[in-house]
Amino acid sequence: LGRGRDWPLKSEYDFHQEAYWYATNFQTDGILTTTYAWFNEERRVRAMFFQIWTAIRSTTSLSPAVELQTAWNQHIDQFNKEAEATVKGVWHTSSLWVRAEAEKEIIDSTLTTLCISLGCVLIGVMTFTRSLALACIVMFTVACIVICLLFFMVMLMGWAIGAIE
């Protein structure tokens, strides 16, 4: 902190008083630090935020994003476990986490929808033909058509696949 004390503060210091003093007397990247902290009428900290930059791009694929989020979850959990009572309750968020969660849910729902569709094909053909062999052939054919269409759209045409598709 600005007075040469360790961060996070030990319990003998008034965290709220120290945070208010620091926020009103120092700048962060040329911006008054009160921009990153919210205080109530009694000058008690209601919330603070910190920006942290990592070497991972915000457009990274799902797997590295989930790995990074897991590492941050473990770090924050460990910090909260060992923190003084005055600074417990730290949490984190990132636009990368939001995108990764959305991407994961989209993939999961797409696979679920595909399984339901193929199951309906199987049941429908089984109901009308009473032939398991024919139902499996039709289901396999529909699955191949979907895969070939996906290959054509993504690989040959270079179309981006998003949430709507």
Side-chain angles (χ1 to χ4, degrees):
L1 225 46
R3 299 181 186 180
R5 298 183 184 139
D6 290 334
W7 180 262
L9 290 172
K10 302 300 179 211
S11 57
E12 66 254 17
Y13 298 107
D14 181 5
F15 169 77
H16 299 282
Q17 177 185 347
E18 295 293 325
Y20 185 79
W21 179 86
Y22 182 83
T24 55
N25 288 289
F26 284 91
Q27 292 186 346
T28 303
D29 286 336
I31 300 170
L32 193 60
T33 305
T34 52
T35 305
Y36 303 104
W38 294 273
F39 298 94
N40 64 11
E41 297 78 29
E42 293 88 36
R43 296 183 175 175
R44 295 183 62 79
V45 176
R46 300 304 300 155
M48 297 178 98
F49 76 92
F50 303 92
Q51 292 179 332
I52 298 172
W53 287 268
T54 63
I56 295 189
R57 293 176 173 249
S58 62
T59 57
T60 190
S61 63
L62 179 62
S63 182
V66 170
E67 288 174 17
L68 183 62
Q69 183 182 14
T70 301
W72 269 104
N73 286 340
Q74 291 171 349
H75 174 74
I76 295 298
D77 289 345
Q78 188 64 33
F79 176 86
N80 281 330
K81 196 180 299 179
E82 297 173 359
E84 298 283 332
T86 54
V87 292
K88 278 189 183 206
V90 171
W91 56 277
H92 65 98
T93 187
S94 170
S95 58
L96 180 60
W97 307 163
V98 174
R99 192 185 59 73
E101 289 289 327
E103 189 175 321
K104 181 181 178 302
E105 288 302 318
I106 288 168
I107 291 170
D108 290 348
S109 67
T110 301
L111 292 175
T112 301
T113 302
L114 184 61
C115 289
I116 290 170
S117 297
L118 292 175
C120 288
V121 166
L122 183 69
I123 291 170
V125 173
M126 279 280 297
T127 301
F128 293 107
T129 64
R130 295 190 177 126
S131 170
L132 179 61
L134 183 59
C136 289
I137 291 169
V138 171
M139 185 179 70
F140 178 73
T141 303
V142 170
C144 287
I145 290 169
V146 170
I147 291 169
C148 288
L149 183 59
L150 185 64
F151 175 80
F152 175 78
M153 289 172 24
V154 175
M155 302 305 287
L156 300 180
M157 297 300 290
W159 296 348
I161 299 293
I164 295 174
E165 291 80 18

